[in-house]
Amino acid sequence: MSSSTLRSRSRVEPSKSTTNQDNIGSNDSYLIPAPYTLPVSYFSVVGVHTTLWAFTALYLPRSTFLTDITTPEWDESQLSSRDRPQHPFLEALTRSPTSTLVCICAGALLLQGWWAGWLRDLWLEMNLRGTEDERRVQRASYRNKKVTAFRESLVLTLAASIAIHIILIAFGAPITSYILKTYLLALLLAIMTVYAPAYVIGVPLGSSNLSVVKRWTWLRLFVELSPRTPVERALVYPAVGTVVGCWLGIIPIALDWDRPWQAWPLTPAFAAIGGYIISSLSALTVNALVQLGSGNNIA
């Protein structure tokens, strides 16, 4: 075989490998961070998202029908003690902690479902590759998997709620006396920390190459705490803030004040929501600073 033939083949083979790499990038591109200019809608959506969280926590449990069907879990004398009277605004929230947590969990599931869907679309747009036709195919393929992603994310969230319930008990939560309340807190934490990453990134289970990449992505984000893109920060920061807020929310329960708002698990639940809101706004601030620092204007 002549040397000229070998040289011609060596010129052809790299082009084939390059084509294969391009195909791999187009199929699994959502796992590869790429430079992206944040849209203006990101800032408005985060504002709406955090505002709705505050509404879900403070006003959804105050629904009139709940007042009619629930019975107070505290003595009326404690609700209006003369030494430390409770503010009227708190009465609807502390009247029945179980009903309050049920309402918040229901609202959280709807709210996080919308938020995760919006982040998933943003994640896709950030990592599209190829020509316009190839991008259109990627969008269609990605959106066809929404039902599967929703089902898998919901199953993982429920499984995580059981694991978090066990962790709460290990950290001193009541084992049998308040089992429903403890599980509702665990479910709320799972919805806030697990559902959105599972829906956006994917469930890190399975033995395929893509599942392995997803698993390493989860480890990088939630073990190493090393987010690299705006969407990753929007997933990691609120999750960390939720856990820290819940942990700090345990402190008021130990105070010997015997007040209705100290009932388990109101303070850790509301502190977790507060941590989530603050961390979401922190992620927005960091994303804006990184975007401005990189020299890219916000689209």
Side-chain angles (χ1 to χ4, degrees):
M1 185 178 294
S2 63
S3 59
S4 60
T5 304
L6 290 174
R7 284 194 298 269
S8 62
R9 287 190 176 182
S10 64
R11 294 192 189 99
V12 174
E13 289 177 358
S15 63
K16 291 181 179 179
S17 62
T18 303
T19 304
N20 291 334
Q21 290 176 359
D22 292 340
N23 291 334
I24 293 173
S26 63
N27 292 334
D28 301 336
S29 60
Y30 72 99
L31 294 172
I32 305 173
Y36 184 75
T37 301
L38 282 174
V40 176
S41 60
Y42 167 74
F43 299 91
S44 59
V45 169
V46 172
V48 172
H49 179 59
T50 52
T51 301
L52 288 177
W53 258 114
F55 174 83
T56 299
L58 299 177
Y59 289 95
L60 190 60
R62 302 170 62 85
S63 303
T64 306
F65 77 94
L66 284 177
T67 306
D68 298 334
I69 64 176
T70 57
T71 56
E73 298 182 15
W74 284 84
D75 188 355
E76 292 294 337
S77 62
Q78 290 179 305
L79 295 176
S80 58
S81 61
R82 295 180 179 179
D83 55 342
R84 285 186 295 270
Q86 179 174 246
H87 194 279
F89 182 83
L90 297 177
E91 291 186 9
L93 301 177
T94 60
R95 179 183 180 88
S96 174
T98 303
S99 300
T100 298
L101 264 293
V102 168
C103 280
I104 293 177
C105 286
L109 186 59
L110 295 176
L111 186 56
Q112 290 302 93
W114 163 72
W115 171 245
W118 190 87
L119 281 181
R120 181 183 170 92
D121 291 339
L122 180 60
W123 178 279
L124 172 63
E125 294 298 326
M126 287 178 60
N127 296 281
L128 288 176
R129 303 287 195 277
T131 63
E132 185 59 33
D133 290 337
E134 292 174 344
R135 290 167 179 257
R136 192 178 298 110
V137 172
Q138 292 176 43
R139 289 190 186 97
S141 175
Y142 205 62
R143 288 166 182 168
N144 288 337
K145 300 176 182 178
K146 280 189 174 182
V147 176
T148 302
F150 170 75
R151 182 176 63 251
E152 293 178 348
S153 302
L154 194 59
V155 171
L156 183 63
T157 301
L158 293 176
S161 68
I162 298 175
I164 295 174
H165 189 191
I166 296 174
I167 294 174
L168 290 175
I169 292 176
F171 274 85
I175 299 177
T176 57
S177 56
Y178 297 106
I179 186 170
L180 178 58
K181 296 178 182 179
T182 303
Y183 177 74
L184 288 174
L185 175 62
L187 179 61
L188 177 63
L189 295 176
I191 293 173
M192 297 172 70
T193 59
V194 176
Y195 180 81
Y199 189 73
V200 175
I201 302 172
V203 176
L205 301 176
S207 57
S208 64
N209 292 335
L210 185 58
S211 298
V212 173
V213 175
K214 291 178 182 179
R215 194 150 48 243
W216 280 107
T217 302
W218 276 76
L219 291 174
R220 175 173 60 83
L221 294 180
F222 299 104
V223 176
E224 298 178 3
L225 299 179
S226 178
R228 301 172 183 172
T229 67
V231 174
E232 290 180 351
R233 295 187 193 98
L235 293 172
V236 174
Y237 283 32
V240 174
T242 298
V243 174
V244 173
C246 181
W247 180 66
L248 294 177
I250 301 294
I251 297 175
I253 296 181
L255 301 176
D256 189 18
W257 292 350
D258 196 27
R259 304 303 302 144
W261 58 265
Q262 292 177 280
W264 174 261
L266 290 179
T267 54
F270 281 94
I273 295 173
Y276 182 96
I277 293 174
I278 294 173
S279 298
S280 295
L281 297 176
S282 299
L284 181 146
T285 303
V286 172
N287 284 334
L289 293 176
V290 171
Q291 189 76 32
L292 294 175
S294 63
N296 295 328
N297 295 325
I298 298 174

